[in-house]
Amino acid sequence: MILREHYFDYAATSPADEEILKEAFKVSIEHWGNPSSIHEAGTDARKVFENARQRAAAALDVKPETIFFTSGGTESDHLALTSVLSRPQKGSIVISAIEHPALREMAKMVASCGWKVITVNPDKDGIITPEAVTEAMDADTAFVTVMAVNNETGAIQPVSQIADALVKKAGGKRKAFFHVDCVQAAGKIPLVFLKNPAIDSAAFSAHKIGGPRGIGILYLAKNIDSFLKGGGQEKNIRSGTENLFGAEAFSHCLEKYAISKKNPASMERFEDQKKWTEDFISQLMQINGCVMIPHCRGKEKDDEFSPWVVQAAFPGIPGQVMERALSSKGFYISTGSACSAGHHSRPILDTMQIPPKEKESAVRFSFGHDTTQQAMNELIEAVKEVCVAFFH
């Protein structure tokens, strides 16, 4: 059996919060009707579904009418991005080069429909600056997307400042629609930026914070004209029979894990993780040959990085070799996004101009609420053992 305490790939997925999922499953069995049916079985299920929406909204500190349940982070990203295809006139979209494939690959499809796609590269620290975004825009830019926390480097992007820059760029006219992928942010950092009215939409995924796969949320500050059509559920934003089990489970996960001042336990856990990760990085840097990615990590600007994601390189040890060696010892990490695994490409590191030897040996350590400081220390010792065995 795989031990949770030695699992360090939370950026890919998290172990299920069994108590929440079991209770949500029980609720979904008891309230089995289709929430869109008008008979009693349906209206009974609808009440449960709407209560889940209320809880999710309260946890995210937004209005319930801005919450739309989807099948996951990918669909939430797609709904926001493809809404431009409903516009009568084509223009351009601006996308950061560090986005998840859900946005990066879908942007290519939007381009095939006649839209111009403008890509913004990060600086050497993996940060997309507001200036880089506004300078890349042209007169007919209709959509901008920059993720909140990068899934490979952990770099926290200045999305609120970018939103303000878009307003200033518009000069009183209608600004470009601004979407933020928050999949690696929810339950990992405070989401205070959602208070910025210039952020139009945001994507969330349950399975990153102990919830089930197949359920996500699209936050919409104002409704969009969804390009994807169907039965009209979720106010015509996301058609398809509502996933009551998923919504119930996700809402409780957000209640439990969302980091905010009104959730002291989660806030305390967040502060602990910051200390543990600072120590973890310090120990990594003492390993001969280890290089942090980006290079500023552990030296400066640590408040610009999520404490739940750390990327390091061990030049001379291919990333997949380190991953397999640690797996054989019962420690589970990754070489990057699970959605890119098998492609052997590192587009995010390419855009950061990481040297080839570092890029090929880069691995990602990612943590979650079940992670302990002792387990992180044990991981360090395992990494040391692999390095000693490989270089001697």
Side-chain angles (χ1 to χ4, degrees):
M1 181 178 178
I2 296 174
L3 299 177
R4 285 192 181 197
E5 54 262 41
H6 286 162
Y7 178 74
F8 300 99
D9 197 17
Y10 280 81
T13 196
S14 63
D17 187 310
E18 293 182 33
E19 184 178 343
I20 288 178
L21 265 63
K22 286 178 179 178
E23 183 58 30
F25 186 56
K26 179 181 176 183
V27 169
S28 68
I29 291 175
E30 292 175 352
H31 305 276
W32 44 265
N34 186 321
S36 291
S37 297
I38 61 174
H39 49 61
E40 188 174 353
T43 56
D44 177 59
R46 170 59 62 179
K47 290 178 183 177
V48 175
F49 191 74
E50 292 305 322
N51 283 338
R53 195 191 310 276
Q54 295 274 351
R55 282 194 303 273
L60 294 173
D61 200 17
V62 298
K63 296 178 180 179
E65 57 267 28
T66 65
I67 297 294
F68 298 85
F69 287 107
T70 68
S71 67
T74 292
E75 186 184 22
S76 296
D77 284 334
H78 288 180
L79 286 168
L81 177 54
T82 59
S83 67
V84 301
L85 299 179
S86 298
R87 301 193 179 200
Q89 292 183 321
K90 295 180 177 64
S92 68
I93 66 172
V94 171
I95 177 172
S96 87
I98 62 170
E99 295 305 300
H100 187 274
L103 282 161
R104 219 169 49 233
E105 295 303 312
M106 182 53 77
K108 296 176 183 178
M109 294 301 296
V110 171
S112 71
C113 294
W115 282 74
K116 179 182 177 183
V117 175
I118 302 169
T119 302
V120 180
N121 287 329
D123 63 18
K124 61 182 175 58
D125 297 331
I127 303 294
I128 302 293
T129 65
E131 295 76 17
V133 172
T134 54
E135 288 173 9
M137 297 171 66
D138 55 28
D140 61 357
T141 297
F143 184 94
V144 174
T145 182
V146 178
M147 66 186 350
V149 177
N150 184 257
N151 51 299
E152 291 198 28
T153 66
I156 300 174
Q157 305 303 317
V159 292
S160 192
Q161 292 91 325
I162 292 172
D164 293 340
L166 294 180
V167 172
K168 185 177 180 181
K169 176 80 171 181
K173 298 180 181 179
R174 182 181 179 183
K175 74 167 187 63
F177 188 97
F178 185 36
H179 175 70
V180 179
D181 184 325
C182 291
V183 169
Q184 296 290 345
K188 301 300 176 67
I189 63 171
L191 301 176
V192 291
F193 54 82
L194 282 182
K195 287 295 183 183
N196 192 320
I199 291 178
D200 298 295
S201 64
F204 302 89
S205 181
H207 76 97
K208 304 294 187 181
I209 54 170
R213 295 159 195 168
I215 184 71
I217 284 174
L218 173 63
Y219 159 78
L220 284 176
K222 56 187 177 185
N223 285 3
I224 56 175
D225 184 7
S226 178
F227 179 72
L228 305 178
K229 305 298 181 181
Q233 294 90 340
E234 292 295 88
K235 294 191 289 188
N236 286 311
I237 298 297
R238 195 272 176 177
S239 294
T241 302
E242 299 90 341
N243 180 353
L244 190 147
F245 160 70
E248 179 74 7
F250 196 4
S251 64
H252 282 295
C253 284
L254 285 171
E255 280 186 325
K256 184 174 180 179
Y257 297 115
I259 299 172
S260 68
K261 291 181 179 179
K262 63 182 180 181
N263 189 349
S266 191
M267 199 73 183
E268 183 179 348
R269 180 67 185 84
F270 176 57
E271 293 300 327
D272 283 343
Q273 190 61 45
K274 287 197 286 187
K275 296 173 187 174
W276 299 350
T277 298
E278 182 179 351
D279 183 60
F280 179 80
I281 291 174
S282 178
Q283 292 187 69
L284 274 180
M285 293 174 71
Q286 292 174 30
I287 298 176
N288 188 35
C290 176
V291 178
M292 301 306 301
I293 297 179
H295 297 160
C296 70
R297 195 83 190 263
K299 299 176 183 177
E300 56 187 14
K301 302 182 180 179
D302 273 359
D303 58 340
E304 294 182 8
F305 292 88
S306 166
W308 309 91
V309 179
V310 173
Q311 185 155 205
F314 303 86
I317 307 177
Q320 291 185 333
V321 172
M322 175 65 80
E323 181 180 358
R324 293 192 188 103
L326 287 175
S327 180
S328 69
K329 294 176 178 292
F331 294 84
Y332 306 98
I333 65 164
S334 73
T335 53
S337 172
C339 298
S340 298
H343 297 297
H344 306 300
S345 61
R346 304 297 296 273
I348 292 172
L349 301 190
D350 286 339
T351 64
M352 292 169 59
Q353 299 184 342
I354 299 298
K357 289 185 178 180
E358 293 179 16
K359 183 178 66 175
E360 292 163 7
S361 64
V363 293
R364 180 183 68 185
F365 308 101
S366 52
F367 317 112
H369 288 80
D370 291 333
T371 304
T372 65
Q373 186 176 26
Q374 179 181 341
M376 292 174 69
N377 288 334
E378 291 170 355
L379 172 60
I380 286 288
E381 293 306 312
V383 172
K384 289 179 180 177
E385 290 173 5
V386 173
C387 290
V388 168
F390 200 89
F391 291 121
H392 294 84

